[in-house]
Amino acid sequence: MKRSWNQLSQQSNGIHVVADFERAAYRLVTEQVLYASDRTARTAYHLVEDHFDDYVAALAPLGIRLERNAHYRYVVAMPAHGEGTPVTLEETLLLLVLRQRYDEAARQGQIEEQGEVVVELPELQEAYQALAGRAMPDVGALRTLARTLRRWGVCRLVESEGDDPQPFHLRARPAIVEIAGEQWLQRLDQHNRGDAEADDATEDDDATA
């Protein structure tokens, strides 16, 4: 049985007030991922981690299940229903390309201590073309897409320093494994099938002409 936020506050001996528990729940729902390594999310992460079963019970009626990774120290809120949040094809493709790079880095033992994978722009460009069958978005569009993926807790954009010829690189974050799951792979498959059907239709038109 879930304990109330008031009970949890009392049991903390005044360290946390009710609003602290409420804010942590709100951040978890709106940001989807809380990382202990993020300075601004650290307090909320520890509240959820220390009272995990209470947060599970509190969010279950909303159709949200919680998953946590003790190794890389993050908590993910996974909605049971995906309706209500429109996602563009460009966002979907970038997310899936980053997931593919993350999986490849994992196979090669190239994941960093906090679970992140560095993706340089030349590497991203090659993978994007191979997986999505189209050119990678330009730098400006890529920045915008990366900001969206950052809000989902799956990516960080890091500006380059010194004489690095690329303006920035991306860091795929470990929660991408939970967030970019089977539903996202199905979206990519639908996209690829749609492109194939369009190519077939074009060939038919050419043959008719």
Side-chain angles (χ1 to χ4, degrees), residues 83-119:
E83 300 88 349
T85 305
V87 180
T88 68
L89 175 61
E90 289 75 18
E91 292 164 351
T92 300
L93 293 177
L94 180 58
L95 177 61
L96 287 168
V97 171
L98 289 175
R99 170 66 196 269
Q100 188 268 346
R101 299 317 304 155
Y102 194 93
D103 290 347
E104 183 62 26
R107 284 191 289 270
Q108 297 180 10
Q110 296 176 345
I111 295 181
E112 297 186 350
E113 183 178 355
Q114 293 181 347
E116 295 186 341
V117 168
V118 176
V119 183

Side-chain angles (χ1 to χ4, degrees), residues 35-38 42 69 71-74 102 111-117 156 171-175:
Y35 290 97
S37 59
D38 290 353
R42 194 170 299 153
N69 186 303
H71 182 68
Y72 293 128
R73 303 179 70 201
Y74 63 85
Y102 194 93
I111 295 181
E112 297 186 350
E113 183 178 355
Q114 293 181 347
E116 295 186 341
V117 168
R156 289 198 300 126
R171 284 179 168 265
R173 311 198 73 183

Side-chain angles (χ1 to χ4, degrees), residues 120 160-169:
E120 307 287 357
S160 299
E161 297 181 358
D163 57 356
D164 192 331
Q166 61 180 348
F168 57 83
H169 65 264

Side-chain angles (χ1 to χ4, degrees), residues 89 93 132-134 189-201:
L89 175 61
L93 293 177
R134 59 172 64 185
D189 183 56
Q190 291 169 359
H191 158 68
N192 288 335
R193 287 204 308 270
D195 283 352
E197 291 170 357
D199 291 341
D200 290 343

Side-chain angles (χ1 to χ4, degrees), residues 120-169:
E120 307 287 357
L121 293 190
E123 173 191 359
L124 181 67
Q125 184 175 26
E126 181 179 351
Y128 201 99
Q129 180 66 50
L131 186 61
R134 59 172 64 185
M136 183 181 74
D138 62 34
V139 170
L142 196 58
R143 283 185 181 276
T144 300
L145 291 170
R147 282 197 293 269
T148 299
L149 269 59
R150 180 181 183 275
R151 291 198 299 271
W152 299 343
V154 299
C155 172
R156 289 198 300 126
L157 185 151
V158 179
E159 301 288 349
S160 299
E161 297 181 358
D163 57 356
D164 192 331
Q166 61 180 348
F168 57 83
H169 65 264

Side-chain angles (χ1 to χ4, degrees), residues 45 48-50 52-53 66-70 74-76 178:
Y45 165 83
V48 175
E49 172 63 21
D50 293 343
F52 188 74
D53 290 341
L66 300 188
E67 298 182 7
R68 58 180 167 180
N69 186 303
Y74 63 85
V75 180
V76 186
E178 284 87 5

